[in-house]
Amino acid sequence: MKIDRIEDAGNITLKIEGWLDTNTSPELGAKVDEIKEAKSITLDFDLVEYMSSAGLRQVVATYKLAKELGADFKVINTGKEVFNIFSLTGIDKKINITTKE
């Protein structure tokens, strides 16, 4: 998995590439732990091929951090299969998640 951090005036985007699973979700956790303040946090899932429950837990942990910081949070560019995981768990009702067009 590869994670690129893009920051612009307190708006942080983490572009994730590959599988977000038990083996790789700690990498995302480490990147998120580096965030001490932000206006917004965006997870860009354009290149995420697969997400397991461990990845889902990390997304929720990132959402909680954003709330603690008073930052906006969203997940963008999810593929259909990954979006289905959010939908089946009902997380798409709580978190702003958009799919690829």
Side-chain angles (χ1 to χ4, degrees):
M1 181 175 71
K2 179 180 174 191
I3 303 172
D4 289 324
R5 177 178 168 150
I6 302 160
E7 187 167 356
D8 179 31
N11 300 302
I12 299 170
T13 299
L14 298 177
K15 291 184 64 93
I16 304 162
E17 180 178 345
W19 284 37
L20 185 54
D21 59 16
T22 303
N23 295 322
T24 60
S25 63
E27 292 176 48
L28 178 56
K31 286 285 189 187
V32 169
D33 287 345
E34 294 173 1
I35 300 171
K36 303 303 179 200
E37 60 183 342
K39 290 181 184 175
S40 70
I41 300 171
T42 301
L43 300 180
D44 187 340
F45 271 37
D46 187 36
L47 300 173
V48 173
E49 301 166 23
Y50 169 81
M51 181 177 67
S52 72
S53 60
L56 187 63
R57 280 191 298 276
Q58 190 55 60
V59 170
V60 171
T62 307
Y63 165 74
K64 288 179 180 179
L65 172 68
K67 279 185 70 172
E68 288 173 16
L69 296 176
D72 292 329
F73 178 76
K74 60 185 170 184
V75 180
I76 61 171
N77 296 323
T78 59
K80 288 181 184 179
E81 290 179 13
V82 172
F83 183 78
N84 284 341
I85 295 167
F86 287 120
S87 181
L88 288 171
T89 58
I91 291 176
D92 64 319
K93 305 289 188 253
K94 186 129 181 126
I95 296 175
N96 182 0
I97 302 169
T98 58
T99 58
K100 296 180 192 181
E101 294 187 37

